[in-house]
Amino acid sequence: MSKNGNGGKNYRSAKTGRFVTKRAAQRSPKTTVGETRGGGSTHGAHRSAITGKFVGKAAAGRWPDKTIKDS
């Protein structure tokens, strides 16, 4: 386990794109994405904050507050 106790994940808000604490992620699970540290690039694919699955560009456009563009 990592030093700060979050198990090797960073959490990002789909609304703001900023990193948030694990506690904030737990309070807003439908608008927060957990990212594994050092997970590699997804080449700009869009991912749902609700399911964690990759979605198309059109779906990301319909739900901008619930999707993240991975890098």
Side-chain angles (χ1 to χ4, degrees), residues 41-46 69-71:
S41 176
T42 59
H43 304 289
H46 297 274
K69 184 174 182 181
D70 285 339
S71 55

mmCIF file of all heavy atoms in Angstrom, residues 41-46 69-71:
data_model
loop_
_atom_site.group_PDB
_atom_site.id
_atom_site.type_symbol
_atom_site.label_atom_id
_atom_site.label_comp_id
_atom_site.label_asym_id
_atom_site.label_seq_id
_atom_site.Cartn_x
_atom_site.Cartn_y
_atom_site.Cartn_z
ATOM 1 N N SER A 41 -0.591 5.031 -21.143
ATOM 2 C CA SER A 41 -1.387 5.955 -21.935
ATOM 3 C C SER A 41 -2.554 5.247 -22.619
ATOM 4 O O SER A 41 -2.444 4.099 -23.040
ATOM 5 C CB SER A 41 -0.522 6.613 -23.009
ATOM 6 O OG SER A 41 -1.292 7.436 -23.829
ATOM 7 N N THR A 42 -3.667 5.951 -22.737
ATOM 8 C CA THR A 42 -4.818 5.435 -23.488
ATOM 9 C C THR A 42 -5.006 6.244 -24.765
ATOM 10 O O THR A 42 -6.018 6.121 -25.434
ATOM 11 C CB THR A 42 -6.111 5.496 -22.647
ATOM 12 O OG1 THR A 42 -6.335 6.837 -22.272
ATOM 13 C CG2 THR A 42 -6.013 4.599 -21.434
ATOM 14 N N HIS A 43 -4.045 7.100 -25.069
ATOM 15 C CA HIS A 43 -4.018 7.881 -26.305
ATOM 16 C C HIS A 43 -5.253 8.768 -26.480
ATOM 17 O O HIS A 43 -5.812 8.866 -27.557
ATOM 18 C CB HIS A 43 -3.832 6.971 -27.511
ATOM 19 C CG HIS A 43 -2.607 6.119 -27.398
ATOM 20 N ND1 HIS A 43 -1.338 6.623 -27.503
ATOM 21 C CD2 HIS A 43 -2.458 4.796 -27.133
ATOM 22 C CE1 HIS A 43 -0.457 5.657 -27.336
ATOM 23 N NE2 HIS A 43 -1.115 4.538 -27.099
ATOM 24 N N GLY A 44 -5.687 9.387 -25.410
ATOM 25 C CA GLY A 44 -6.768 10.363 -25.487
ATOM 26 C C GLY A 44 -8.166 9.786 -25.565
ATOM 27 O O GLY A 44 -9.095 10.470 -25.976
ATOM 28 N N ALA A 45 -8.356 8.543 -25.162
ATOM 29 C CA ALA A 45 -9.687 7.925 -25.189
ATOM 30 C C ALA A 45 -10.554 8.516 -24.087
ATOM 31 O O ALA A 45 -10.061 9.006 -23.076
ATOM 32 C CB ALA A 45 -9.568 6.416 -25.008
ATOM 33 N N HIS A 46 -11.860 8.464 -24.285
ATOM 34 C CA HIS A 46 -12.818 8.963 -23.294
ATOM 35 C C HIS A 46 -13.305 7.797 -22.453
ATOM 36 O O HIS A 46 -13.542 6.701 -22.960
ATOM 37 C CB HIS A 46 -14.009 9.623 -23.993
ATOM 38 C CG HIS A 46 -13.627 10.813 -24.791
ATOM 39 N ND1 HIS A 46 -13.524 12.067 -24.262
ATOM 40 C CD2 HIS A 46 -13.290 10.936 -26.097
ATOM 41 C CE1 HIS A 46 -13.169 12.922 -25.194
ATOM 42 N NE2 HIS A 46 -13.007 12.257 -26.325
ATOM 43 N N LYS A 69 -11.357 12.523 -20.331
ATOM 44 C CA LYS A 69 -10.502 12.221 -21.475
ATOM 45 C C LYS A 69 -9.148 11.812 -20.932
ATOM 46 O O LYS A 69 -8.426 12.612 -20.347
ATOM 47 C CB LYS A 69 -10.355 13.423 -22.403
ATOM 48 C CG LYS A 69 -9.550 13.102 -23.636
ATOM 49 C CD LYS A 69 -9.528 14.232 -24.620
ATOM 50 C CE LYS A 69 -8.746 13.819 -25.837
ATOM 51 N NZ LYS A 69 -8.673 14.905 -26.806
ATOM 52 N N ASP A 70 -8.840 10.523 -21.071
ATOM 53 C CA ASP A 70 -7.554 9.991 -20.606
ATOM 54 C C ASP A 70 -6.449 10.488 -21.513
ATOM 55 O O ASP A 70 -6.673 10.804 -22.673
ATOM 56 C CB ASP A 70 -7.564 8.463 -20.614
ATOM 57 C CG ASP A 70 -8.362 7.869 -19.467
ATOM 58 O OD1 ASP A 70 -8.572 8.563 -18.468
ATOM 59 O OD2 ASP A 70 -8.751 6.697 -19.579
ATOM 60 N N SER A 71 -5.251 10.485 -20.965
ATOM 61 C CA SER A 71 -4.108 10.876 -21.796
ATOM 62 C C SER A 71 -3.142 9.736 -21.960
ATOM 63 O O SER A 71 -3.259 8.716 -21.403
ATOM 64 C CB SER A 71 -3.388 12.057 -21.174
ATOM 65 O OG SER A 71 -3.011 11.783 -19.863
#
